[in-house]
Amino acid sequence: MGRRKGPSLTREDVVQAALTLVRLEGADALGVARVARELGIRPPSLYNHVASGPELAVATSFAAQRLLVDDLTDAVRGVDDPRAQLETLCRAIRRWVHANEGLYALMARVEPQPDHPDAGATDRALLDLFLRPLGQLGVPVDRRVHAIRALRSAVHGFVLLESARQFQLAADSEVSFELLIDAVIRGLVNAG
Amino acid sequence: MGRRKGPSLTREDVVQAALTLVRLEGADALGVARVARELGIRPPSLYNHVASGPELAVATSFAAQRLLVDDLTDAVRGVDDPRAQLETLCRAIRRWVHANEGLYALMARVEPQPDHPDAGATDRALLDLFLRPLGQLGVPVDRRVHAIRALRSAVHGFVLLESARQFQLAADSEVSFELLIDAVIRGLVNAG
DNA sequence: TTAAAAAACTAATGCAAGTAGTTTCACGGC
DNA sequence: GCCGTGAAACTACTTGCATTAGTTTTTTAA
C-alpha cells in the first residue's frame, strides 16, 4: 500500500478541505485526523503536506484571511465616497462573517505569525483598504493608525459577540451595527 | 486506594484551580487531566465534581465573569458623572483583561448558556452597570440596548485584538483606546 | 534506464476524555 | 458508640487524536 496511481493531493487540496470543514462544522472540528478522513487518506499521510496540527490551523487561517480580503476588495470596488467606502467595508466584513462563522472564529483563535511568509501581503492589503478612505476623509496621518484600530475593534467585537449569540435581548442587530459604525466613523472624523 | 482521610475537594476548589491554571497558562491549557494533576488527584476523580470537560470550561468561564463584574462594580463605586462612569467601565475592562488574558479568552470561547442557573445574575449585573449611566446621559430607552451593544463591541474587539497582539504597528495603544471609547460614547449621546 | 524524491501506507507510542466498577472515609440515624 | 449510605477517591479500560518511524509504490528528473 504505497503511493497511489494518478494525481496525488497537494497542500492546496488540504487547505481547501480544511476550509470546507471549518465552514460546515466550526473551528473546533479542525484537526489532522478529521481533515485526513475528509480527503480519504490516513492521518499520517497528511504530514506529507503540513508539518503539524497547529500549522494546519495557521495555514487555514491565512487562507480564510485571503478570502475575506478578496471579498472586501470586491465590495469597495465602484464605491467612490470615502465615508461610504468605510461603511461598505464594515458591512462587508459583517456579511462575510455571517456566511463564514467558523472561519472567522478560527482566525480569531490562531495567534498571529509576524514572521510567516504569507503574513505580509494580506495584512497590508487589509490595512490599505481602510487607509485610503481615511486619508480621503482628511484624517491626519498620525491618527490613521488609531482610527484603523478603532474601526477594526468595533467591527471585530460586534461580529464576534453577534456570532457567539451574546446579544440576547430582542433588538434588531442591524440597527445596533449601523449605530456603532456610524458613531465610530463620525467620532474619528471629528476627533479632538 | 479509596477516599483519602481529611477534608476532600469541592467543586469550588476545582474551579479555583482551573482559574489559576488558565491565568498562568492560557485557555488552551484547560482540561480535565490538567486540572486533576494540579489538584493532586487522578483525572477520573474530577468527574465527582464536574460532569465533563466542556462543563468545566463553562463553570470556569462563569467564575471568571463574576470576577470581572465584581471588579467593574468596585471600579465605578464613587464615580458620579455618568459619562465618567462609562469611561471608567471601559478602562476597567481593559485593565482586567490585561491582568487576566487567559480568562478573558476563555470567556470569549465558551458558548453562552442561556438556560444555565448561574447565567442570569452576573449577566444582569453587567447590563445594569452600563444601563444606569446611559440613562443618566439621556439616551432614550429604546436606544439603550443598541448603545450597550456598541460599547461592549468596541471594548471587546479592542481588548481581543490587543491581547492577540494584532496591533503590530508602533503606535500607543492607550491613545487608540481612548480615541475609540470617546468616539463611541460621543456618537451614542448625540445619535441621530 | 535508473536513482531519488514524493506520497501514500502500516504499526506503534503517548496523551486526553470518558466509563465502569471498586475501595475507603465521613456523617447522620439509631 | 454502631452502622449503613453516599461521597470521593482509586484502578483498569476504551476510544480517539497527534505524532513518529519505517515501508511500499509511483512519479520525476538525471
Side-chain angles (χ1 to χ4, degrees):
Chain A
M1 283 295 205
R3 179 172 184 161
R4 304 308 178 77
K5 284 183 184 172
S8 46
L9 294 175
T10 67
R11 184 181 169 95
E12 270 47 58
D13 295 328
V14 172
V15 172
Q16 209 56 44
L19 287 171
T20 303
L21 175 65
V22 172
R23 253 194 277 254
L24 295 179
E25 305 191 20
D28 288 326
L30 182 60
V32 171
R34 190 59 209 281
V35 172
R37 200 180 316 143
E38 223 61 44
L39 289 165
I41 63 176
R42 301 300 184 137
S45 304
L46 210 71
Y47 291 88
N48 286 319
H49 306 288
V50 294
S52 68
E55 205 250 346
L56 170 61
V58 169
T60 308
S61 172
F62 274 123
Q65 195 190 355
R66 172 159 311 184
L67 289 177
L68 171 58
V69 171
D70 288 350
D71 185 274
L72 297 183
T73 305
D74 281 356
V76 290
R77 203 190 306 287
V79 180
D80 282 337
D81 179 54
R83 170 142 185 181
Q85 267 183 37
L86 287 179
E87 291 168 352
T88 299
L89 283 173
C90 295
R91 296 192 191 108
I93 291 175
R94 178 162 175 253
R95 200 170 343 109
W96 191 88
V97 174
H98 286 171
N100 302 278
E101 288 197 4
L103 291 180
Y104 197 74
L106 178 69
M107 289 165 61
R109 167 173 326 189
V110 169
E111 289 283 316
Q113 314 282 324
D115 303 336
H116 196 288
D118 295 358
T122 48
D123 272 3
R124 187 43 164 264
L126 186 55
L127 208 63
D128 286 342
L129 281 174
F130 282 92
L131 267 181
R132 184 164 329 160
L134 282 172
Q136 292 172 358
L137 277 173
V139 175
V141 175
D142 61 339
R143 206 171 295 147
R144 286 182 200 162
V145 173
H146 300 301
I148 289 187
R149 288 178 176 174
L151 259 179
R152 269 185 75 196
S153 296
V155 176
H156 185 63
F158 190 94
V159 299
L160 283 182
L161 290 175
E162 190 180 26
S163 44
R165 276 161 272 290
Q166 302 243 18
F167 294 152
Q168 295 174 19
L169 302 175
D172 192 351
S173 292
E174 314 288 328
V175 176
S176 305
F177 187 69
E178 292 297 326
L179 184 68
L180 172 62
I181 66 177
D182 182 64
V184 174
I185 294 177
R186 263 192 300 142
L188 295 179
V189 174
N190 330 323
Chain B
M1 281 296 209
R3 179 171 184 165
R4 304 307 178 76
K5 286 182 185 172
S8 48
L9 294 175
T10 67
R11 185 181 168 95
E12 270 48 56
D13 294 327
V14 172
V15 172
Q16 210 55 44
L19 286 171
T20 303
L21 175 65
V22 172
R23 253 194 278 255
L24 295 178
E25 305 191 23
D28 287 326
L30 182 58
V32 171
R34 190 59 208 282
V35 172
R37 200 182 315 145
E38 222 62 44
L39 289 165
I41 63 175
R42 300 303 184 129
S45 305
L46 210 71
Y47 291 90
N48 286 317
H49 306 287
V50 293
S52 68
E55 206 251 344
L56 171 62
V58 169
T60 309
S61 173
F62 273 123
Q65 195 191 354
R66 173 160 308 186
L67 288 176
L68 170 59
V69 170
D70 287 352
D71 185 274
L72 297 184
T73 305
D74 282 357
V76 290
R77 204 190 305 287
V79 179
D80 283 337
D81 179 54
R83 170 141 186 181
Q85 268 184 35
L86 286 180
E87 290 168 351
T88 300
L89 283 173
C90 293
R91 295 193 191 106
I93 291 174
R94 178 163 175 251
R95 201 171 341 109
W96 190 87
V97 174
H98 285 171
N100 301 279
E101 287 197 6
L103 291 181
Y104 197 74
L106 178 68
M107 289 165 59
R109 167 171 329 188
V110 170
E111 289 282 315
Q113 314 283 323
D115 302 337
H116 196 289
D118 296 359
T122 48
D123 271 4
R124 187 44 164 261
L126 186 55
L127 207 63
D128 286 343
L129 281 173
F130 282 93
L131 266 182
R132 184 162 329 161
L134 282 173
Q136 292 173 357
L137 276 174
V139 174
V141 175
D142 61 338
R143 207 170 295 147
R144 285 182 201 162
V145 173
H146 299 302
I148 289 188
R149 288 178 178 173
L151 259 179
R152 269 184 75 197
S153 295
V155 176
H156 186 63
F158 190 95
V159 298
L160 282 183
L161 289 174
E162 190 179 26
S163 43
R165 276 161 272 291
Q166 301 244 16
F167 294 153
Q168 295 175 19
L169 302 176
D172 192 350
S173 292
E174 314 288 327
V175 177
S176 306
F177 187 70
E178 293 296 325
L179 183 68
L180 172 62
I181 66 176
D182 182 64
V184 174
I185 294 176
R186 263 191 300 141
L188 295 180
V189 175
N190 331 323

